[in-house]
Amino acid sequence: MSEAFVTALLELADDHLVLGHRLSEWCGHAPMLEEDLALPNMALDLIGAARGLYARAGEIEGKGRDEDDLAYLRGERAYLNCLLVERENGDFAQTMLRQLYFAAFMEPYWRAAASSDDPVLRGIAAKAVKEVAYHIRHAGEWVVRMGDGTGESARRMAEAVEELHRFTDELFFSSPAAEAAEAAGLLPVRAETRGAWEATIRTVFAEARLGWPAQVWAQQGGRAGAHGEALGHLLAEMQSLHRAHPGAAW
Amino acid sequence: MVEATPLWEVFIRPRNGLSHRHVGSLHAADEVMALQAARDVYTRRGEGTSIWVVPSLAITASDPDHADEMFEPTADKIYRHPTFYEIPEEVGHM
Amino acid sequence: MYSQGLIGADGRTEEDAAFLAAFQARIDAEEKIEPKDAMPEGYRRTLVRQIGQHAHSEIVGMLPEGNWITRAPSLRRKAALLAKVQDEGGHGLYLYSAAETLGVSREQMTEELLSGKAKYSSIFNYPTLSWADIGIIGWLVDGAAIMNQIPLCRCSFGPYARAMIRVCKEESFHQRQGYEIVMTLMRGTEAQKAMAQDALDRWWWPALMMFGPHDSESAHSEQSMAWKIKRFSNDALRQKFIDATVPQAEFLGLKVPDPDMVWDAGLNDGQGGYRHGPIDWDEFWRVVKGGGVMNRDRIRARRKAWEDGAWVREAARAHALKRAARKVAAE
């Protein structure tokens, strides 16, 4: 059991770190100064959650790997994040929609995690649930403004939906490891959050005057380490310095 | 000339029991975004429990050129202050 | 983070002597000047320029450190650096707000930065080449900024002074963060130690230049001092910085790259201090005027963010109009 739980925790941790990393790429390059502050706030929430999750995974694993070993010394095929979070930032519409999709999933997920049998996870969830509730608000308000703003913003927002919606199904997919942890009462069942997620997204889309996208082939593979090409570059950059100095303290 | 995003004044209540206090300003297109920006900009270190945002244009300010007629007339009305009145010490605190 | 080397201040003013004397009396009485108060045009112009340069420095200053956010070598460092760079953005925002009280808009100031009309601290035109640069910048550049900003908390212009108080409070962690990075490197491997020394070698002189030209060369400094926009001279602050920093470097086991540096018992009114070797002011002016490795890249990055963001800002404004109209319709 513990091995499956470790894997499932890594899936969650990788989601948070990769998305936090993506958001941090905006710092200093946002459309307005106010967003130069808002985006790092969200990134810091996500990186903070990732650290807690890595630490817990390392602890249960019991091989002495700490948060940095897990974040910096696993390669592309060992990373287990879903495909949505690794997508490149694209424009502001894509960044905000990606954030909304992810937060709208994590909010009910963390709420359900309040009844996990793992006390450490309960602690992480209690903190994170408030953070992602704000992410929904912030990203949601932006999606509304871009969807129902100018002609150009509406076009870009619709394009973002087309680009990213195909990655949302993977959020509800439980890997064998996650299934085992779910069955053991350690993690919430991913599929059960779909109703809440869809309600959030539909509310925002209605206000943003965005159409619900047609069924497309849902992209999956992240939980098995089968990623798109973007993740390799992200990790190459993120891990380069750490890997160049094996064993060094920072 | 670039079109400008409106300016907002931000007021924060540091904790319950205290008044909202002006902390600075920011730019936002509407009140919802202004509130979120105020949260993201001005409460990163737990500075507050409540935020007000007010469009800067909505503030009517007194004119410093009229400061004399506005504020000086009160200066000599010392009977508004408790120390104007003499109460014998034996009476105790009043 | 920023420095005080205000570039090209112009304190000329044309009010009559009685007005100027009355204003100076308020300043001398340590009264704060508020935005709507009567003030000499030169005072207003100097402030707009200085606060603008200060704000631009914070904003451009996000870029060299931002260059390492995605490569920070541990998650703890990543979070701290991200929070620090975010703070710089916040400080820019507070400062733009302070300047806006004088009737100049953020959009105007941004245009001036992007067109090259407005200047910013020349130190940000140097590249960050290794992780040690992040430590050295926090320690030296933020250290130099703090030296300058603490007196600015008592600046005569109320909004600027208030912004500075907030900035100083937030910045207290920046320098410690930097010093801790360098300290960790100096306790690490030979490669890490070399990285730290190399970074100090590259940043030391630019950090000293942050305080601006020597007092004897610093045009318009005197007027700024009289108006209490500026509280200490460039050379005085530079000396204070050197005296504070050299022992910190020694503690780390780093060598300050100034072969002429000596202890001089006569400095600081006989209290003693470190006398530094000659500063290459040609380099300073070259970099200020656009000749640094990164000048063009910095402005290009800012312009890209501004231009790429235009449609987002427009969308928000367009939506605000629709919202307002719908609200009216619903009433």
Side-chain angles (χ1 to χ4, degrees):
Chain A
M1 179 61 251
S2 71
E3 199 182 321
F5 189 36
V6 168
T7 303
L9 284 171
L10 287 178
E11 294 173 3
L12 275 170
D14 291 346
D15 281 356
H16 284 76
L17 178 59
V18 170
L19 188 56
H21 182 99
R22 280 290 184 227
L23 285 181
S24 79
E25 293 172 354
W26 274 103
C27 187
H29 308 277
M32 66 203 67
L33 210 33
E34 282 73 8
E35 283 304 308
D36 271 318
L37 278 92
L39 293 163
N41 273 347
M42 293 196 285
L44 288 166
D45 288 342
L46 295 169
I47 292 169
R51 293 180 65 186
L53 291 162
Y54 283 132
R56 184 59 176 151
E59 194 181 12
I60 297 175
E61 187 191 48
K63 292 182 190 161
R65 292 203 286 180
D66 66 12
E67 58 176 39
D68 289 332
D69 295 329
L70 291 167
Y72 287 92
L73 298 176
R74 287 182 306 132
E76 193 181 341
R77 300 283 282 122
Y79 256 71
L80 302 175
N81 59 278
C82 62
L83 300 178
L84 174 71
V85 296
E86 74 190 42
R87 302 304 296 170
E88 280 166 350
N89 285 334
D91 61 12
F92 199 63
Q94 294 189 23
T95 292
M96 280 299 159
L97 183 66
R98 185 184 59 194
Q99 200 61 30
L100 176 68
Y101 280 154
F102 183 72
F105 171 83
M106 286 313 302
E107 202 267 342
Y109 186 87
W110 284 133
R111 241 186 306 124
S115 52
S116 162
D117 284 344
D118 183 52
V120 177
L121 190 81
R122 284 202 301 273
I124 295 171
K127 188 170 172 296
V129 72
K130 295 174 203 146
E131 295 169 348
V132 290
Y134 183 76
H135 300 183
I136 294 177
R137 274 177 56 161
H138 190 74
E141 295 290 355
W142 269 116
V143 168
V144 167
R145 272 148 194 80
M146 290 185 278
D148 184 24
T150 62
E152 178 178 7
S153 71
R155 178 185 61 71
R156 284 175 182 267
M157 206 63 241
E159 212 171 277
V161 173
E162 200 171 323
E163 176 67 30
L164 293 173
H165 205 82
R166 61 203 165 110
F167 298 108
T168 55
D169 234 29
E170 192 179 21
L171 291 167
F172 310 102
F173 161 78
S174 294
S175 68
E179 263 178 358
E182 288 164 13
L186 293 163
L187 290 176
V189 178
R190 284 184 167 267
E192 287 175 6
T193 56
R194 194 186 277 273
W197 180 85
E198 207 174 300
T200 303
I201 302 299
R202 281 191 186 276
T203 307
V204 173
F205 275 26
E207 217 190 313
R209 288 158 161 71
L210 281 168
W212 196 258
Q215 264 318 335
V216 287
W217 180 254
Q219 298 295 331
Q220 292 199 8
R223 304 301 184 203
H227 297 277
E229 289 177 353
L231 183 70
H233 294 278
L234 183 153
L235 294 180
E237 184 175 350
M238 185 174 90
Q239 299 176 339
S240 59
L241 174 61
H242 187 100
R243 283 184 186 266
H245 299 264
W250 299 98
Chain B
M1 185 60 215
V2 195
E3 209 186 326
T5 300
L7 193 63
W8 300 73
E9 300 302 321
V10 182
F11 299 82
I12 289 179
R13 185 200 293 288
R15 57 190 155 81
N16 281 6
L18 299 176
S19 307
H20 286 77
R21 199 169 150 251
H22 184 245
V23 294
S25 56
L26 52 80
H27 290 236
D30 61 52
E31 70 284 359
V32 176
M33 299 316 270
L35 209 49
Q36 292 193 359
R39 179 260 190 196
D40 282 317
V41 172
Y42 288 104
T43 67
R44 283 173 291 132
R45 289 171 167 84
E47 290 93 333
T49 57
S50 165
I51 304 175
W52 290 349
V53 288
V54 180
S56 305
L57 283 174
I59 292 179
T60 309
S62 63
D63 184 342
D65 287 346
H66 301 158
D68 290 355
E69 65 214 57
M70 290 278 278
F71 308 115
E72 272 197 26
T74 65
D76 63 349
K77 301 191 175 54
I78 50 174
Y79 42 78
R80 286 199 173 113
H81 300 277
T83 47
F84 179 75
Y85 304 94
E86 287 203 17
I87 302 287
E89 258 188 42
E90 307 85 282
V91 178
H93 179 73
M94 185 180 284
Chain C
M1 71 157 76
Y2 161 70
S3 67
Q4 79 162 32
L6 173 65
I7 302 149
D10 177 5
R12 271 178 308 123
T13 203
E14 285 171 4
E15 290 79 3
D16 64 52
F19 175 83
L20 290 175
F23 183 77
Q24 191 61 48
R26 291 190 65 191
I27 299 277
D28 292 343
E30 294 289 331
E31 266 184 54
K32 291 282 182 229
I33 306 303
E34 294 296 341
K36 293 199 155 113
D37 291 356
M39 62 182 83
E41 185 47 34
Y43 179 82
R44 201 192 77 89
R45 206 168 43 228
T46 302
L47 276 168
V48 166
R49 200 166 182 133
Q50 173 160 342
I51 301 173
Q53 279 183 19
H54 195 161
H56 297 326
S57 301
E58 301 283 354
I59 299 306
V60 176
M62 296 173 81
L63 299 171
E65 287 179 284
N67 183 36
W68 282 89
I69 291 174
T70 53
R71 291 178 286 173
S74 74
L75 295 182
R76 178 172 176 268
R77 294 287 179 212
K78 195 183 191 72
L81 180 59
L82 182 53
K84 177 182 188 288
V85 178
Q86 179 197 39
D87 270 354
E88 313 296 0
H91 300 167
L93 194 152
Y94 308 154
L95 286 159
Y96 283 131
S97 299
E100 280 176 293
T101 63
L102 291 165
V104 48
S105 74
R106 190 198 292 178
E107 284 81 1
Q108 251 169 291
M109 288 184 275
T110 303
E111 294 288 326
E112 286 183 7
L113 170 68
L114 299 184
S115 72
K117 193 174 158 218
K119 301 290 178 214
Y120 56 89
S121 194
S122 69
I123 193 134
F124 304 121
N125 292 318
Y126 292 85
T128 49
L129 301 180
S130 80
W131 172 251
D133 292 33
I134 301 308
I136 297 285
I137 287 178
W139 170 33
L140 295 189
V141 178
D142 285 272
I146 291 166
M147 288 269 162
N148 173 52
Q149 289 176 160
I150 287 173
L152 278 175
C153 294
R154 295 190 295 123
C155 162
S156 61
F157 185 58
Y160 195 18
R162 290 193 288 276
M164 276 300 105
I165 289 170
R166 199 176 179 94
V167 167
C168 285
K169 221 186 265 175
E170 295 189 356
E171 239 171 37
S172 52
F173 97 82
H174 293 185
Q175 194 184 13
R176 292 170 67 96
Q177 178 252 180
Y179 196 74
E180 195 196 82
I181 288 175
V182 183
M183 199 162 64
T184 310
L185 293 173
M186 291 306 288
R187 288 174 182 166
T189 64
E190 287 309 311
Q192 286 177 304
K193 287 179 198 168
M195 198 190 281
Q197 183 64 55
D198 169 61
L200 179 63
D201 291 348
R202 282 181 289 111
W203 290 95
W204 174 257
W205 292 107
L208 295 193
M209 293 175 198
M210 280 179 73
F211 294 94
H214 285 309
D215 297 345
S216 53
E217 318 262 318
S218 180
H220 312 292
S221 232
E222 262 171 50
Q223 181 62 77
S224 282
M225 299 270 283
W227 278 335
K228 298 190 179 169
I229 293 172
K230 185 171 168 175
R231 289 273 179 168
F232 293 96
S233 76
N234 295 353
D235 284 331
L237 284 173
R238 183 167 20 242
Q239 188 60 47
K240 205 168 162 215
F241 171 76
I242 292 171
D243 292 338
T245 308
V246 171
Q248 292 168 354
E250 276 169 10
F251 177 84
L252 292 171
L254 284 168
K255 198 171 160 6
V256 169
D258 179 354
D260 299 323
M261 178 156 301
V262 287
W263 176 259
D264 181 340
L267 280 182
N268 298 322
D269 299 325
Q271 306 244 324
Y274 294 92
R275 182 178 293 285
H276 63 80
I279 295 173
D280 183 353
W281 292 110
D282 291 343
E283 176 182 322
F284 174 74
W285 288 112
R286 188 172 68 241
V287 176
V288 166
K289 288 176 181 156
V293 184
M294 299 304 290
N295 294 59
R296 294 180 63 83
D297 303 65
R298 298 293 184 234
I299 293 300
R300 191 181 305 117
R302 287 313 306 162
R303 178 172 298 124
K304 185 173 183 331
W306 183 245
E307 286 172 1
D308 288 358
W311 70 270
V312 179
R313 299 190 297 275
E314 267 163 39
R317 287 196 299 268
H319 182 81
L321 292 177
K322 292 183 190 178
R323 266 173 89 80
R326 279 175 209 148
K327 214 168 158 186
V328 171
E331 273 164 8

